[in-house]
Amino acid sequence: MPLYFLNLRYGRDKVAVDPEGDELPDLDAARAHALEAARDLIARTRSYSVRDWFTCTFEIVNEGGRLLLAVPFSDTVPESDQD
């Protein structure tokens, strides 16, 4: 199974690098995992470094460090269908 790393980008130039990664079947599973982790951080974590979790993004990278997908924390909130 491929190894995906969820690097947390917060602020303009700050990145918390995921040193371990997670073995997941594919990029869709990595995105779902990132959204679950983002929801958990929003609900459970207070941080002096991060004032607004909704401005953060998980950058999913492969073992070679290549950016595969960016998952904004704002994606944890479903869009409204109000017309």
Side-chain angles (χ1 to χ4, degrees):
M1 242 189 293
L3 195 58
Y4 296 95
F5 296 84
L6 304 181
N7 296 335
L8 174 63
R9 179 165 296 279
Y10 62 101
R12 290 185 185 197
D13 57 355
K14 297 177 182 165
V15 178
V17 176
D18 176 1
E20 298 175 8
D22 294 287
E23 287 186 351
L24 299 161
D26 56 30
L27 192 54
D28 287 335
R31 182 179 189 279
H33 181 64
L35 288 171
E36 181 180 327
R39 286 185 190 100
D40 188 56
L41 284 171
I42 291 166
R44 301 180 196 279
T45 306
R46 295 201 195 293
S47 170
Y48 292 108
S49 299
V50 178
R51 297 193 185 262
D52 181 4
W53 285 111
F54 291 103
T55 62
C56 296
T57 300
F58 272 126
E59 295 178 344
I60 301 174
V61 300
N62 65 13
E63 291 180 81
R66 181 173 165 249
L67 178 64
L68 303 174
L69 183 66
V71 182
F73 278 38
S74 59
D75 283 1
T76 62
V77 181
E79 290 185 28
S80 172
D81 286 343
Q82 296 179 2
D83 287 11

